[in-house]
Amino acid sequence: MAEAAHGGHEEHTDAVRDLSDSESISAAAPAEVGLRFEVDGEIATVTLNRPEKRNAQTFATWSALARIGETLPDRVRVVVIRGEGPSFSAGIDLRMFTPEGVPGQGSFATAAALDDGAFERRIAEAQRGFLWLRRPDIVSIAAVQGHAIGAGFQLALACDLRVVADDVQFCMKEPALGLVPDLTGTKPLADIVGVPRAIEMCLTARSVGAAEALQLGLAEMAVRREELDQAVQDLAAALLATDRAAATATKRLLQAAPGRTLEDQAAAERAEQAARIRALFASS
Ligand code: ACO
């Protein structure tokens, strides 16, 4: 049975409430967090839930995401990130660009006055909301429909896999607004599409649709909008069919492969396999 949060799952309702204790964000209202968290067996689902604002994200959203990662129940093996409504996410809340900012969270103008250490901590805290999605013991899937702009694109890139609807529009808009993508998106983007294509996409801030996303490897699968949720559930079920320890070790190997020589990777395979075979076949 699914447990829902915010409203719902107790520990994560608490986590969302804890945002007010965050160093850089004071008393963020739940409406500014805009997340729903549910656990159904081994599958956790995080839903961006401000459809009327196209799931615009704030610092409170990212702190809440980080807390979800920190307190994820051990049994969870697949994490689905999805967005309610017509768009996955229209990126950072544009109120950050105004003098008033986002209630309880300031604005870019107030951020500009931070010293280097406070700046570093604030962006690192935001990035923590994204980085846990790469943990080897889980597989994260972004279910992306409509617009995925800026922080929305980066959230999709933070996941291991992307399943997209045929109306998807990925856009890295930060450079067009005078910013850089800083929510951990530049590395997966460059790793997936290559540096030249990433430069072209980001510096023109153009949109990438479903067919091109598939072709570039930005999406593993593209389906009709009405089939998106079912396609993600089917993928999650297929992922859950493998042995968890083997899946974790294999993800760890694959993640490290691009940064290793063939010899080092072969050695890592030997070490992981020795642990697997001992776990499976060692007599008592
Ligand atoms: N921040 C705050 N509010 C937003 C945002 C946002 N990023 N995006 C949309 N909204 C609000 C709109 O202001 C509007 O609110 P209102 O009904 O109170 O007027 C509501 O969401 C619906 O927006 P529309 O523009 O009417 O929706 P539509 O579906 O036609 O367009 C689209 C969606 C294309 C995403 C458009 O809203 C848009 O371009 N948004 C801004 C995208 C952007 O520049 N994001 C920043 C990227 S940079 C970064 O993330 C670091």
Side-chain angles (χ1 to χ4, degrees), residues 50-57 62 86-87 89-97 108 146-154 171-175 177 179-183:
R50 279 210 299 158
E52 71 287 357
K53 297 294 179 191
R54 300 300 181 264
N55 300 322
Q57 303 171 37
W62 303 326
S87 297
S89 173
I92 197 168
D93 194 311
L94 293 176
R95 289 176 298 172
M96 285 297 293
F97 290 87
F108 281 128
H147 291 98
I149 302 177
F153 191 7
Q154 294 192 72
C171 172
M172 200 66 91
K173 196 167 174 188
E174 285 84 345
L177 298 172
L179 302 172
V180 299
D182 67 345
L183 296 168

Side-chain angles (χ1 to χ4, degrees), residues 42 77-78 139 235-248 250:
E42 296 171 299
R77 294 185 55 191
V78 172
V139 180
L235 177 57
L239 289 163
L240 290 174
T242 56
D243 176 88
R244 181 171 199 174
T248 301
T250 303

Side-chain angles (χ1 to χ4, degrees), residues 20-275:
S20 56
D21 298 335
S22 163
E23 176 190 13
S24 52
I25 298 165
S26 62
E32 312 297 351
V33 176
L35 287 184
R36 190 171 75 237
F37 178 73
E38 296 156 289
V39 178
D40 186 359
E42 296 171 299
I43 303 175
T45 302
V46 181
T47 301
L48 301 167
N49 195 27
R50 279 210 299 158
E52 71 287 357
K53 297 294 179 191
R54 300 300 181 264
N55 300 322
Q57 303 171 37
T58 67
F59 278 91
T61 315
W62 303 326
S63 291
L65 274 173
R67 293 284 292 134
I68 287 172
E70 284 160 7
T71 57
L72 198 69
D74 288 343
R75 69 179 185 279
V76 171
R77 294 185 55 191
V78 172
V79 176
V80 176
I81 307 281
R82 61 185 295 281
E84 206 63 68
S87 297
F88 176 74
S89 173
I92 197 168
D93 194 311
L94 293 176
R95 289 176 298 172
M96 285 297 293
F97 290 87
T98 67
E100 301 76 31
V102 178
Q105 301 181 56
S107 65
F108 281 128
T110 52
L114 296 174
D115 63 35
D116 286 352
F119 228 122
E120 167 74 20
R121 285 192 297 278
R122 183 156 198 198
I123 298 177
E125 166 71 7
Q127 291 173 334
R128 281 196 319 121
F130 294 66
L131 287 169
W132 65 273
L133 292 161
R134 296 281 183 208
R135 267 167 43 178
D137 60 323
I138 59 170
V139 180
S140 51
I141 307 171
V144 191
Q145 83 285 5
H147 291 98
I149 302 177
F153 191 7
Q154 294 192 72
L155 184 55
L157 284 166
C159 293
D160 295 313
L161 307 173
R162 282 150 293 281
V163 179
V164 302
D166 48 12
D167 65 349
V168 75
Q169 295 284 314
F170 287 119
C171 172
M172 200 66 91
K173 196 167 174 188
E174 285 84 345
L177 298 172
L179 302 172
V180 299
D182 67 345
L183 296 168
T184 76
T186 55
K187 182 164 173 55
L189 181 64
D191 285 349
I192 294 168
V193 305
V195 172
R197 178 62 69 195
I199 290 173
E200 180 268 323
M201 281 173 52
C202 294
L203 274 56
T204 63
R206 73 176 173 89
S207 290
V208 172
E212 186 181 3
L214 266 183
Q215 184 220 330
L216 290 174
L218 283 171
E220 276 58 52
M221 202 185 304
V223 297
R224 294 197 320 198
R225 172 71 187 88
E226 56 273 25
E227 293 166 355
L228 183 60
D229 290 342
Q230 189 58 52
V232 170
Q233 288 304 310
D234 292 348
L235 177 57
L239 289 163
L240 290 174
T242 56
D243 176 88
R244 181 171 199 174
T248 301
T250 303
K251 180 173 168 183
R252 202 163 38 226
L253 277 173
L254 293 170
Q255 284 180 312
R260 288 200 187 116
T261 64
L262 181 59
E263 290 73 19
D264 289 346
Q265 183 71 1
E269 288 176 0
R270 295 195 294 274
E272 292 281 14
Q273 194 69 307

